[in-house]
Every structure is written in structure tokens, then in C-alpha cells.
Amino acid sequence: LDDRQRQILSHLAKAAADLLEGRRALHAERRLREEFALATRDLAVSEERFRTLSEASPLGVFATDPHGLCLYNNSRWQEIYGLSLEESLGDGWSSTIHPEDREAVFSEWQRSAEAGQDFDMEFRIKRPAGPVRYVRAQSRPSRDQDGTITGHIG
């Protein structure tokens, strides 16, 4: 081969290698998209299973962020506390704690949250309409793979 033919052959080899690398990258990208789609589907199935179990539960169920702000509660919880979901989110739920129990509840919650321990306490709630009720709230920290508390489930 003369120099020009070697140069053309070299360019063809580089082009072929680039095409093969591009094809490999395309396959890897497709595989990642498929894995992401499966993971997303699995997460949706898990979320639906949790919500179905929660709504079927005869107990009040709630979930908070790491600081105790309410993110979710089921319809039974809403019946017990006399609040709608919208009214109970964030720190709205705390408006129902009986004034005489408020300090003890927050103190115990803070202690449990800081220690990363379960919360278990009986206290009174004063519903917007209706009599004072005694409730027992229990929760457990939920953690991510690294052990960091992501919230509380009760």
C-alpha cells in the first residue's frame, strides 16, 4: 500500500472503531433506560401496595419527614383526629394536641427523633368538632441505605 492508501485505511479503521463505540454506547443507554423504567414501575407498584395497605388498615397511619412534618396520613387517621389531609399536613396535625399535653408530646417527640428511636406515647387530642379523645401514637424512624433517617412511619 502506498502512503495515501495507508492514510485512507487508517481513517476507515478510526471511523469503524468510532461507529462500534457509538453502537456500544447506544446499547448501554438503552439498557439503562430499560432498567430505569423497571425500577420506576417497581416503585409505583410498591407505592400502590403501601397506599392500599394503609387505606385498608383499621388504624390511623401517618408518615412524616425527618423533622416530624406530616407528609401523609390515611383516612382512618383523619377520622380519629377530625382533620382533612390538607389540614393535617406539615405541622397542622399538632393543632389537635390538647394544650395540657402539648409540651410533653413535643418534648418526647424531639427526644425520640434526636436519638433515632421509636416514639410511643398516649396523649389527648382536642378535635375541631367533638369530644376530647385519648390516642396512642407510635412511630418508627425510616432510614435510607446509608442509615440516615428519612422520616417516621406510625
Side-chain angles (χ1 to χ4, degrees):
L1 297 175
D2 64 24
D3 285 342
R4 187 167 186 274
Q5 289 172 327
R6 278 191 211 109
Q7 190 177 24
I8 291 171
L9 191 55
S10 176
H11 286 296
L12 286 172
K14 181 168 178 7
D18 288 347
L19 284 172
L20 288 172
E21 188 58 39
R23 189 172 184 189
R24 186 178 301 133
L26 183 61
H27 285 301
E29 183 181 335
R30 280 188 194 141
R31 188 173 60 249
L32 284 175
R33 270 193 250 134
E34 289 169 0
E35 289 174 5
F36 180 75
L38 288 173
T40 301
R41 188 199 70 214
D42 290 348
L43 182 60
V45 167
S46 178
E47 175 78 13
E48 181 59 27
R49 185 179 302 124
F50 166 77
R51 290 195 183 279
T52 301
L53 285 168
S54 174
E55 285 304 318
S57 174
L59 302 173
V61 176
F62 65 90
T64 75
D65 72 5
H67 310 289
L69 297 177
C70 185
L71 302 173
Y72 167 83
N73 52 66
N74 68 354
S75 56
R76 179 63 180 131
W77 186 98
Q78 294 162 30
E79 284 177 38
I80 293 167
Y81 280 75
L83 297 175
S84 69
L85 177 61
E86 294 76 23
E87 292 169 325
S88 65
L89 295 178
D91 64 357
W93 65 272
S94 66
S95 66
T96 62
I97 298 175
H98 193 282
E100 294 174 14
D101 295 347
R102 185 177 303 266
E103 186 178 325
V105 171
F106 285 130
S107 176
E108 179 60 18
W109 171 257
Q110 188 69 31
R111 186 200 65 72
S112 298
E114 286 176 2
Q117 297 176 336
D118 294 358
F119 174 82
D120 185 352
M121 187 172 191
E122 187 173 300
F123 53 91
R124 293 170 290 177
I125 57 171
K126 190 169 173 41
R127 298 160 30 109
V132 170
R133 283 189 168 171
Y134 282 85
V135 297
R136 180 173 182 188
Q138 297 175 303
S139 72
R140 174 164 288 163
S142 60
R143 301 175 188 273
D144 64 16
Q145 313 79 296
D146 301 325
T148 303
I149 295 176
T150 59
H152 303 270
I153 306 294

